[in-house]
Amino acid sequence: MTIQLNDSTLLKTQAYIDGQWVDGDKGETFAVTNPATGEHLADVASVGADETRRAIIAAEKAMVSWKALPAKTRSELLERWYSLIIDNQEDLAVLMTAEQGKPLFESRGEVAYGASFIKWFAEEGKRVYGDIIPSTADRRGVVVKQPVGVVAAITPWNFPNAMIARKVAPALAVGCAMVLKPAAETPLSALALVELANRAGLPAGLFSVLPGINAQAIGGEMTSNTIVKKVTFTGSTPVGKLLMKQCADTVKRTSMELGGNAPVIIFDDADLDAAVAGVLVAKYRNSGQTCICANRILVQEGIYDAFIEKFAAAVKGFRVGNGMDADSTHGPVITEKAATEIHAKVQSAVAEGATVVIGGQAGSQGACFYEPTILTNVTDKMRVFREEIFGPVAPVFKFSTEEQAIAMANDTQFGLAAYLYTENMGRVWRVSEGIDYGMVGVNETAISSEVIPFGGMKESGQGREGSKYGLDDYLETKYICIGGLNR
């Protein structure tokens, strides 16, 4: 397949290390395919531990002068990068849809969303403040914040642009360098981003991108190399736990944005139309492949049937197809394996008594498609209650009381995002404070932006991305005691 771009030089297939486009040392490559059509897109260089080590060494060298720059100078470079991303939004969206599958309108939105983090942290990087601590008459305590050091990042395939920008922007803004491994399914978006960073004037070595299918070799070097001071990861909880264990030997800082099992709690006093609209977005965006996706829809028994009727009618209006087609509302899931795993969870629920209201089968469009699905008569004993579905399947559970809804929402090891719909202000506070989640949307499911602290509790991770708090994970706090002031 030929990807039609306005600027064909944004389609890169080599690794980017120390300011140079290079092949892997062994000359190995891996294929990138379009999940909607199965067509071959590109063969991309596959690197390993040696190339990763060179990128880390280059990052350490580049960071010496980068962190010494005035914050305003770093900000200006990030602003140029932001402008280039916006100028090339359509090409970046086409690349994303080709390799990831989401509809073009979603890809365009993601490019703008990712760019917003670069714009935001270009400004926030100028606001890294310290403190003066009064103590005795002859001394003062000074607190300064300094860049943590070389950062290694591992990012996922579901948001191959925004998840990179959300990590790279704050790191660079405060003076760190970044070595990035993008997901093997979606390396083209990452390589285009670093090409634009290069055009913006980012110094060689400051931001390297390491595509590859040998995740153990690349990740192993990142977690063991003593030059790397921090590892940031977005992905599954099992992989996050493994990376944290590997980082323990060198006591690296980590930030982890891991799995979710988000509930949407809809009370009987809710605006039903608003709740249906919110769940449609929260559940089916990116074909259900988001970490804050509505995984469990909890509906109070008095409105359960009415909700199902309205919800099903809306889902029937979806148009599933190739993301490049203008009339497609939803694209494929990322791989055939993913589609198979989604179907296995649906079949497991049906075998245990669940009812398929709509969908429940592989899509006719191709091997990576799965029909938007609604399940009723589901219980908290089923896999669809316990496990993250990561696909376009909406299990709708029934509850009777507020206390039961809170208990059901908290009955998981995850705690990333949750949502609730109610018109009762007292209930808003009781439920929001009673559920164990890092983010809560009240009468709203589109909760993410560059200005909010994105992150979870429990086994959904640690740290926050975006907002003013997003700088903290890339900074060290240093205390300086100045004595002898009365001499």
Side-chain angles (χ1 to χ4, degrees), residues 208-415:
S208 292
V209 175
L210 307 169
I213 55 174
N214 192 341
Q216 290 182 335
I218 298 171
E221 182 63 32
M222 287 177 164
T223 56
S224 64
N225 194 304
T226 56
I227 294 174
V228 174
K229 303 304 180 187
K230 173 185 171 64
V231 171
T232 175
F233 170 72
T234 297
S236 73
T237 296
V239 174
K241 289 179 178 180
L242 175 62
L243 291 170
M244 292 174 72
K245 289 177 182 177
Q246 292 174 341
C247 288
D249 286 342
T250 50
V251 197
K252 297 188 193 307
R253 291 267 295 276
T254 61
S255 56
M256 298 281 157
E257 199 264 278
L258 307 177
N261 193 2
V264 183
I265 309 172
I266 304 171
F267 291 95
D268 55 13
D269 65 341
D271 180 328
L272 197 55
D273 290 332
V276 169
V279 174
L280 287 171
V281 174
K283 174 65 261 183
Y284 295 108
R285 179 189 177 201
N286 199 20
S287 294
Q289 300 171 113
T290 80
C291 54
I292 60 172
C293 188
N295 206 61
R296 297 170 296 153
I297 303 166
L298 314 179
V299 181
Q300 199 157 19
E301 56 192 6
I303 60 167
Y304 186 88
D305 292 339
F307 174 84
I308 293 295
E309 182 180 356
K310 287 178 175 287
F311 190 41
V315 172
K316 287 177 182 177
F318 289 166
R319 297 183 300 277
V320 179
N322 189 330
M324 294 293 186
D325 297 338
D327 61 348
S328 293
T329 61
H330 295 79
V333 296
I334 190 65
T335 62
E336 184 176 355
K337 179 184 177 184
T340 300
E341 290 175 349
I342 293 165
H343 188 52
K345 290 175 182 176
V346 171
Q347 287 183 310
S348 173
V350 170
E352 295 179 79
T355 300
V356 175
V357 175
I358 185 172
Q361 297 294 330
S364 60
Q365 300 85 354
C368 295
F369 286 87
Y370 200 82
E371 295 179 354
T373 299
I374 298 173
L375 299 175
T376 58
N377 296 321
V378 281
T379 73
D380 59 6
K381 306 301 180 185
M382 296 179 182
R383 288 180 65 190
V384 291
F385 185 89
R386 300 288 172 189
E387 300 177 15
E388 189 173 21
I389 298 170
F390 232 65
V393 177
V396 188
F397 302 82
K398 188 181 294 185
F399 72 89
S400 56
T401 66
E402 181 180 308
E403 293 75 18
Q404 183 188 10
I406 292 173
M408 290 176 71
N410 286 339
D411 188 13
T412 175
Q413 74 267 38
F414 300 107

Side-chain angles (χ1 to χ4, degrees), residues 28-220:
E28 296 176 344
T29 62
F30 62 97
V32 180
T33 59
N34 184 329
T37 64
E39 294 174 281
H40 177 267
L41 298 176
D43 291 311
V44 175
S46 185
V47 306
D50 291 342
E51 298 94 327
T52 305
R53 190 175 306 113
R54 290 201 299 274
I56 291 169
I57 292 170
E60 182 183 40
K61 181 179 178 181
M63 190 179 152
V64 173
S65 56
W66 178 252
K67 70 180 181 180
L69 290 174
K72 186 174 185 293
T73 303
R74 294 196 297 266
S75 173
E76 290 168 350
L77 281 165
L78 288 174
E79 289 277 8
R80 287 203 290 271
W81 188 22
Y82 163 81
S83 296
L84 286 168
I85 291 171
I86 295 301
D87 290 345
N88 291 276
Q89 181 179 13
E90 188 65 17
D91 279 352
L92 294 173
V94 168
L95 280 171
M96 189 188 309
T97 292
E99 65 178 346
Q100 200 275 339
K102 66 182 64 175
L104 265 174
F105 74 88
E106 281 198 24
S107 294
R108 294 185 187 108
E110 183 184 334
V111 173
Y113 175 59
S116 72
F117 287 98
I118 298 170
K119 178 80 169 176
W120 172 263
F121 285 112
E123 291 297 321
E124 284 299 295
K126 295 184 289 187
R127 302 184 180 96
V128 179
Y129 303 127
D131 291 292
I132 297 177
I133 303 172
S135 48
T136 61
D138 68 338
R139 67 174 61 189
R140 293 293 183 273
V142 178
V143 176
V144 298
K145 294 183 179 181
Q146 297 178 313
V148 68
V150 173
V151 178
I154 302 173
T155 53
W157 50 260
N158 58 337
F159 290 92
N161 177 296
M163 296 303 97
I164 293 171
R166 202 160 72 180
K167 298 178 186 298
V168 177
L172 296 184
V174 300
C176 297
M178 175 73 80
V179 176
L180 167 75
K181 184 203 176 300
E185 294 86 353
T186 55
L188 303 180
S189 293
L191 296 170
L193 275 178
V194 78
E195 166 63 15
L196 293 176
N198 177 49
R199 295 181 192 180
L202 222 59
L206 195 69
F207 177 28
S208 292
V209 175
L210 307 169
I213 55 174
N214 192 341
Q216 290 182 335
I218 298 171

